[in-house]
Amino acid sequence: MRRAAIERLLPAAYQRAAGPGSVLGALLDVMEALHAPDEAVLADVDALFGPYRTPDGFVAYLTRWVAMDHVVAAPRADAPLPLPAGRLRNLVAHGALLARWRGTPYGMRTALELATGVTGFVLDEPPERPFHLVVRVPPAAADRLALVTRIVEAEKPAAVTVEVVAAPADPPSHPTPTEPDVAEPAAGVAAVRAVGRAHVPAPLPHDPPEEPS
């Protein structure tokens, strides 16, 4: 708050006494200097809550705001984050979408892909084991099984048991010239859409929401 604005809030007698070189004038100058840092923060406060504008040190806090505490779970407050800040920003940006689809295969796959930066997670429901889910982790994410397990446990329906299995790495293959260069979209997946900087597959608009297993 500028000195002139503070001075206008004072009674008329004080305003007359706040001339140049006066004690009251010096106090008003000090008040302006004390307010300046806080006003600078308030002028740009919306940046704190923007997933791609907030400082790195605030990203984990926003991740907890969107109910993704299990992603940043750490034994100590000063422990390093289990994944890069950029992926946490993607999770925050998609917080509403993840909350809407929590408890569904689409929601779990999306959370896993955003957190790991890897696609290709497969969710199987063995017919001989009702209310049981097998999550097959692609080789590129095999080194993040602890993170994947925490997400799976948090995103699955409460009545479902689950096991996380690392899929074996596929041998390198060399496509022939007749093979298409563009992979076909997976069943039940429409065009890729973007929210912020991360791209996630969206379910077809005419499909009903998936019910939890």
Side-chain angles (χ1 to χ4, degrees):
M1 197 171 187
R2 297 295 183 181
R3 169 189 165 156
I6 301 173
E7 188 174 330
R8 285 195 298 270
L9 300 176
L10 299 176
Y14 286 87
Q15 293 183 33
R16 289 193 296 269
S22 66
V23 174
L24 183 55
L27 288 174
L28 294 179
D29 290 337
V30 172
M31 290 180 67
E32 178 180 340
L34 290 174
H35 289 169
D38 294 336
E39 291 185 343
V41 172
L42 293 175
D44 202 29
V45 71
D46 59 306
L48 291 175
F49 307 103
Y52 296 112
R53 296 175 61 200
T54 191
D56 285 350
F58 206 66
V59 178
Y61 183 75
L62 292 182
T63 308
R64 295 184 176 95
W65 263 26
V66 295
M68 298 297 288
D69 309 57
H70 45 282
V71 176
V72 294
R76 303 189 319 274
D78 60 345
L81 295 175
L83 65 162
R87 292 187 195 146
L88 290 180
R89 294 178 188 275
N90 291 337
L91 287 169
V92 174
H94 292 80
L97 181 142
L98 294 174
R100 176 188 175 191
W101 292 93
R102 178 157 289 168
T104 68
Y106 171 75
M108 183 181 293
R109 278 193 302 268
T110 301
L112 290 171
E113 291 175 0
L114 288 172
T116 63
V118 176
T119 59
F121 289 89
V122 177
L123 278 59
D124 291 334
E125 299 181 61
E128 69 278 4
R129 296 189 64 182
F131 302 105
H132 183 73
L133 180 67
V134 179
V135 178
R136 304 193 186 280
V137 182
D143 59 338
R144 281 156 276 182
L145 287 181
L147 173 64
V148 169
T149 301
R150 286 203 307 272
I151 294 174
V152 169
E153 290 289 346
E155 297 292 326
K156 74 176 183 65
V160 173
T161 58
V162 67
E163 59 182 302
V164 177
V165 179
D170 295 328
S173 59
H174 302 283
T176 62
T178 57
E179 292 181 350
D181 294 332
V182 180
E184 293 294 327
V189 175
V192 172
R193 66 176 177 177
V195 178
R197 298 181 186 176
H199 298 264
V200 299
L204 292 173
H206 58 270
D207 284 349
E210 302 177 54
E211 294 296 332
S213 300

